[in-house]
């Protein structure tokens, strides 16, 4: 039941919508008032409470301080009938996209009839819960009404129809829900999928056939005219990585902008598969290709299919874990790009997804958050990323600095330790890595440049191309003794609001002698893309010859997924005796170090995943290579 004030506000919205219907009289367009909007808040069936504890932070709240809106495609039916759908959406989301309700077939079912009823229910819900809305979509080749597709309208008639539709639909939201619809997908999927290497051309559609290729220009111009404040997007699928389709889209957008057509952004849909998803580098490249042109980029329809085809099939641990890593990767990509401030999934629960019976969403069919949800939440909670287990020789003071300048600190490097891998002893190593934790802001078209010097000799120059804290490795050589590492920000820039900054936090120096000698371990676990999965009591073992009794750094490349707030634990044993354990608290492949005492001689080192749980959302541990290094003295 709505509280009185909320219901009063809703009634006011409905009244203003009804008033608008009258103002449409001049256009001779019968307007269907959203009579059922007031029914929206009533649950018809009692349903169990949503599973997240009330104290858990929501994605919406965690995203807000980053200037990011998290959203989903929503549909009015479950919003009316399913309390968990309504509550979860209201708690987790700060932007919504009507999944089908603004498509021509629904909103404009006959040439002289507009039906805003269903979309207005979503708009009312968005307004009531403090969300904004993406309008989707004004020109597309699918879900068009028969009156539009089956009549041989002339170019002039088609342009008039397109103009009137955009004026009516965009105008309706601008007037009835001022400020609510901040973005419109003006043109959807206009570029075809193609082979070859050339940029993909325009798709042949009812629009291109009857108007010509310039229908995009008209659509964007009409949309700007109807709402000068809204951001106007071109939206498409399969452009989440560099390639001919993205090139085709960019060619259209470039040409439009050269003609003065108002395009503000490109929406990357991100309908992707967990096992065929674009890499982090591809996502970054696709987003940068858009934003380096001075356009905004948005994640508009993300879902991550895992390949489930049976209605009652349960997702495997591997599917859930891999799906989670992909969700996180896309969020990472968005957070790393200053012009990506919208992150919308195409349905948030496996109970309501167009890909059913696949399970591509953040919540399961019972509205319990999946590992993928945890992945997004953890990424928003902890932007620094995990980089556990490095051998810290000495860590710099937290020395934030911006606006040009330098920080430096002294380290005592001890090079007498012996490093061993695979029977190769690398005694007296002098190779080091300075890992510098940095973040920066872009200005004047360039990222900050930071120079790292050891005893005043340049060891490397870093382009700090991320607004998030990230480690940058600079290799250097030095003999035993005390050395000074200096980190200097060199290309400061300031012009009005545009201010380039570089901020340095910790500097960590580690030995780097044996990274090149890494070898894959054998495993009893099943191969997974990029590594091995250790499930319940999974383990791998290999024989090593240890040259001397000493402390060693055993480095494992691993990634994991948590469950019930706890990450998997990897245990190392030497000849069956526990020598060390490490919390695998990282979604992405990372090098973790267990500092362990080993005795000289041939030994069997085994690695086991010990704290598996039997809940439906299982903990996972994926292990790749294992290397052994002698630890330097602190
Ligand atoms: C989908 C809806 O989710 C389905 O309910 C409907 O049957 C078909 O359309 N790209 C888009 C979306 O831009 O509008 C599509 O939505 C999914 C693909």
């Amino acid at each position: 039941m709505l509280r009185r004030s909320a219901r009063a506000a809703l009634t006011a919205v409905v009244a203003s919508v009804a008033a608008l219907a009258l103002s449409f009289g001049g256009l001779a367009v019968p307007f269907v008032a959203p009579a059922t909007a007031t029914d929206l808040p009533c649950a018809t069936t009692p349903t169990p409470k949503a599973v997240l504890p009330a104290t858990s932070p929501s994605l919406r709240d965690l995203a807000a301080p980053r200037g990011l809106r998290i959203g989903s495609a929503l549909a009015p039916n479950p919003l009316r009938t399913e309390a968990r759908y309504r509550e979860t959406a209201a708690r987790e989301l700060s932007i919504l996209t009507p999944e089908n309700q603004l498509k021509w077939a629904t909103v404009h079912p006959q040439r002289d009839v507009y039906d805003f009823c269903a979309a207005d229910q979503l708009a009312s819900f968005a307004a009531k819960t403090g969300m904004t809305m993406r309008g989707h979509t004004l020109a597309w080749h699918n879900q068009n009404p028969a009156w539009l597709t089956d009549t041989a309208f002339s170019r002039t008639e088609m342009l008039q129809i397109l103009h009137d539709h955009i004026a009516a639909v965009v105008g309706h939201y601008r007037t009835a829900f001022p400020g609510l619809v901040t973005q419109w997908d003006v043109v959807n999927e206009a570029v075809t999928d193609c082979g070859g290497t050339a940029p993909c051309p325009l798709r042949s559609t009812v629009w291109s056939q009857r108007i010509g290729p310039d229908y995009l220009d008209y659509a964007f111009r009409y949309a700007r005219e109807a709402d000068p404040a809204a951001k106007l997007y071109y939206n498409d699928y399969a452009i989440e990585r560099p390639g001919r389709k993205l090139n085709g889209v960019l060619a259209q957008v470039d040409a439009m902008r050269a003609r003065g057509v108002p395009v503000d952004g490109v929406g990357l849909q991100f309908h992707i598969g967990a096992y065929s998803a674009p890499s982090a580098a591809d996502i970054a490249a696709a987003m940068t290709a858009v934003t380096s042109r001075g356009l905004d980029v948005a994640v508009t329809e993300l879902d991550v299919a895992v390949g489930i085809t049976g209605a009652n099939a349960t997702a495997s641990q591997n599917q859930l874990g891999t799906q989670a890593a992909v969700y996180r990767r896309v969020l990472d990509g968005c957070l790393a790009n200053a012009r990506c401030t919208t992150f919308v999934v195409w349905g948030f629960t496996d109970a309501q997804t167009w890909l059913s019976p696949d399970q591509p969403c953040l919540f399961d069919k019972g509205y319990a958050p999946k590992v993928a949800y945890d992945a997004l939440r953890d990424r928003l909670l902890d932007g620094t990323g995990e980089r556990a287990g490095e051998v810290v020789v000495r860590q710099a003071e937290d020395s934030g600095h911006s606006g040009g300048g330098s920080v430096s600190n002294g380290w005592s490097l001890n090079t007498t330790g012996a490093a061993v891998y695979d029977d190769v002893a690398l005694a007296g190593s002098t190779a080091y890595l300075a890992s510098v934790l940095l973040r920066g802001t872009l200005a004047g078209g360039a990222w900050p440049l930071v120079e790292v010097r050891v005893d005043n000799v340049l060891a490397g120059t870093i382009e700090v191309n991320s607004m998030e804290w990230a480690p940058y490795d600079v290799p250097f050589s030095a003999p035993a003794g005390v050395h000074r590492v200096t980190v200097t920000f060199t290309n400061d820039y300031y012009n009005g609001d545009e201010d380039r900054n570089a901020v340095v936090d910790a500097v960590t120096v580690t030995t780097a002698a044996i990274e090149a000698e890494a070898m894959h371990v054998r495993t009893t676990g099943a191969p997974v893309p990029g590594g091995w999965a250790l499930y319940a009591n999974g383990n791998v073992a290999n024989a090593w010859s240890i040259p001397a009794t000493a402390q060693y750094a055993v480095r494992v490349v691993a990634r994991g997924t948590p469950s019930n707030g706890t990450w998997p634990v990897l245990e190392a044993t030497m000849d069956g005796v526990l020598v060390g354990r490490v919390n695998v608290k990282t979604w992405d492949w990372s090098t973790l170090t267990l500092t362990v005492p080993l005795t000289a001689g041939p030994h069997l080192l085994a690695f086991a995943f010990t704290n598996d749980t039997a809940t439906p959302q299982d903990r996972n541990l994926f292990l790749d290579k294992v290397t052994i290094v002698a630890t330097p003295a602190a």
Side-chain angles (χ1 to χ4, degrees):
M1 196 57 174
L2 258 190
R3 276 177 290 123
R4 179 182 288 271
S5 59
R7 183 177 284 283
L10 190 58
T11 309
V13 168
V14 171
S16 73
V17 169
L20 181 79
L22 300 176
S23 74
F24 265 77
L27 291 177
V29 176
F31 174 72
V32 182
T36 55
T38 47
D39 300 331
L40 180 62
C42 306
T44 53
T45 45
T47 45
K49 276 196 98 59
V51 187
L52 271 179
T55 52
S56 178
S58 70
L59 297 183
R60 165 186 169 137
D61 291 345
L62 292 171
R66 295 173 179 274
L68 181 74
R69 284 191 186 262
I70 299 257
S72 175
L74 294 187
N77 283 352
L79 204 56
R80 267 196 308 271
T81 60
E82 174 59 83
R84 292 175 300 180
Y85 186 92
R86 200 161 51 238
E87 286 163 7
T88 308
R91 187 187 60 234
E92 299 293 339
L93 310 177
S94 43
I95 185 167
L96 72 78
T97 306
E99 184 173 3
N100 290 303
Q101 294 67 28
L102 286 175
K103 294 172 182 174
W104 279 65
T106 305
V107 80
H108 198 169
Q110 292 164 45
R111 188 165 180 187
D112 56 355
V113 175
Y114 287 91
D115 182 355
F116 294 111
C117 178
D120 280 357
Q121 293 181 345
L122 294 168
S124 299
F125 180 71
K128 194 157 60 77
T129 54
M131 296 187 204
T132 57
M133 193 162 114
R134 301 193 82 246
H136 176 81
T137 176
L138 300 171
W140 192 29
H141 60 280
N142 278 333
Q143 294 177 269
N144 285 322
W147 70 262
L148 178 72
T149 53
D150 296 355
T151 315
F153 293 115
S154 68
R155 171 178 156 97
T156 311
E157 285 172 316
M158 269 315 253
L159 282 173
Q160 189 67 50
I161 288 167
L162 182 65
H163 172 269
D164 293 351
H165 175 92
I166 293 177
V169 175
V170 174
H172 168 70
Y173 287 96
R174 186 184 171 198
T175 318
F177 298 90
L180 184 78
V181 180
T182 52
Q183 303 173 13
W184 280 98
D185 285 334
V186 177
V187 175
N188 198 33
E189 302 178 355
V191 169
T192 193
D193 304 289
C194 74
T197 52
C200 297
L202 277 190
R203 184 191 292 272
S204 171
T205 71
V206 69
W207 301 111
S208 69
Q209 287 159 19
R210 299 205 184 130
I211 295 176
D214 55 349
Y215 82 86
L216 290 89
D217 293 20
Y218 284 101
F220 278 95
R221 291 190 199 278
Y222 295 155
R224 177 63 95 229
E225 193 181 294
D227 186 353
K231 294 273 192 187
L232 306 182
Y233 275 75
Y234 175 90
N235 190 51
D236 215 328
Y237 64 90
I239 55 170
E240 301 83 10
R241 64 182 102 215
R244 52 191 181 251
K245 186 156 182 192
L246 179 61
N247 291 341
V249 167
L250 295 174
Q252 292 297 335
V253 169
D254 287 348
M256 277 194 277
R257 294 174 79 213
R259 293 190 292 266
V261 176
V263 183
D264 299 314
V266 174
L268 313 185
Q269 290 187 3
F270 274 101
H271 293 293
I272 54 180
Y275 297 100
S276 53
S279 67
D282 280 349
I283 294 169
M287 289 187 168
T288 307
V290 172
T291 58
S292 63
R293 293 170 147 74
L295 292 163
D296 291 339
V297 73
V299 175
T300 55
E301 305 185 13
L302 173 63
D303 46 25
V304 183
V306 294
I308 287 175
T309 51
N312 298 315
T314 311
S316 71
Q317 298 164 343
N318 195 335
Q319 287 170 325
L320 290 172
T322 307
Q323 179 181 59
V326 171
Y327 265 101
R328 187 192 147 107
R329 190 189 305 162
V330 180
L331 178 59
D332 261 333
C334 183
L335 288 174
N337 191 311
R339 297 195 72 152
C340 182
T341 58
T342 304
F343 183 91
V344 177
V345 298
W346 206 244
F348 65 90
T349 163
D350 291 336
Q352 301 284 343
T353 162
W354 73 309
L355 297 181
S356 181
D358 209 317
Q359 296 168 22
C361 298
L362 296 172
F363 289 80
D364 71 13
K365 289 184 202 167
Y367 292 84
K370 295 162 67 179
V371 197
Y373 174 89
D374 296 346
L376 295 191
R377 187 198 51 202
D378 291 355
R379 177 64 183 84
L380 291 169
L381 271 170
D382 177 7
T384 60
E386 282 293 321
R387 219 179 122 86
E390 293 294 350
V391 184
V392 178
V393 177
R394 185 169 164 192
Q395 196 157 315
E397 302 282 277
D398 185 350
S399 50
H401 185 88
S402 66
S406 68
V407 295
S408 72
N409 209 340
W411 278 263
S412 176
L413 301 179
N414 181 327
T415 58
T416 57
V420 67
Y421 182 74
D422 213 13
D423 291 338
V424 182
L426 303 170
S429 160
T430 56
Y432 292 89
L433 272 188
S435 179
V436 188
L437 194 57
L438 292 159
R439 66 183 169 84
T441 53
L442 175 84
W447 291 99
L449 295 177
V450 160
E451 290 178 352
V452 177
R453 283 190 175 68
V454 180
D455 299 331
N456 274 333
V457 177
L458 187 68
T461 303
I462 298 166
E463 185 194 44
V464 188
N465 57 0
S466 165
M467 296 182 64
E468 302 295 332
W469 288 112
Y472 296 80
D473 287 346
V474 176
F476 69 93
S477 302
V482 176
H483 299 281
R484 179 158 289 267
V485 176
T486 308
V487 179
T488 309
F489 169 30
T490 58
N491 64 335
D492 193 20
Y493 174 93
Y494 178 75
N495 182 13
D497 285 336
E498 276 206 285
D499 191 5
R500 194 177 300 147
N501 291 301
V503 186
V504 58
D505 189 356
V507 180
T508 306
V509 177
T510 65
T511 52
I514 53 80
E515 294 292 343
E517 301 284 338
M519 183 186 88
H520 285 256
V521 291
R522 279 179 293 276
T523 175
T524 53
V528 298
W532 289 267
L534 298 182
Y535 294 137
N537 304 315
N539 66 82
V540 296
N542 208 350
W544 273 268
S545 178
I546 308 296
T549 299
Q551 283 274 109
Y552 289 83
V554 174
R555 289 189 177 161
V556 295
V557 176
R559 65 180 174 90
T561 59
S563 172
N564 296 330
T566 307
W567 291 83
V569 173
L570 184 72
E571 284 186 352
T573 56
M574 184 179 73
D575 303 327
V577 177
L578 183 70
V579 288
R581 47 158 54 105
V582 65
N583 221 343
V584 184
K585 198 178 168 191
T586 167
W587 291 95
D588 298 321
W589 288 112
S590 302
T591 302
L592 309 177
T593 302
L594 299 83
T595 304
V596 298
L598 299 177
T599 44
H603 293 288
L604 189 72
L605 285 181
F607 300 88
F609 167 34
T610 57
N611 66 333
D612 196 20
T613 54
T615 60
Q617 285 167 46
D618 241 338
R619 229 159 269 157
N620 292 296
L621 195 151
F622 303 89
L623 183 65
D624 191 357
K625 63 192 177 194
V626 176
T627 54
I628 301 176
V629 199
T631 56

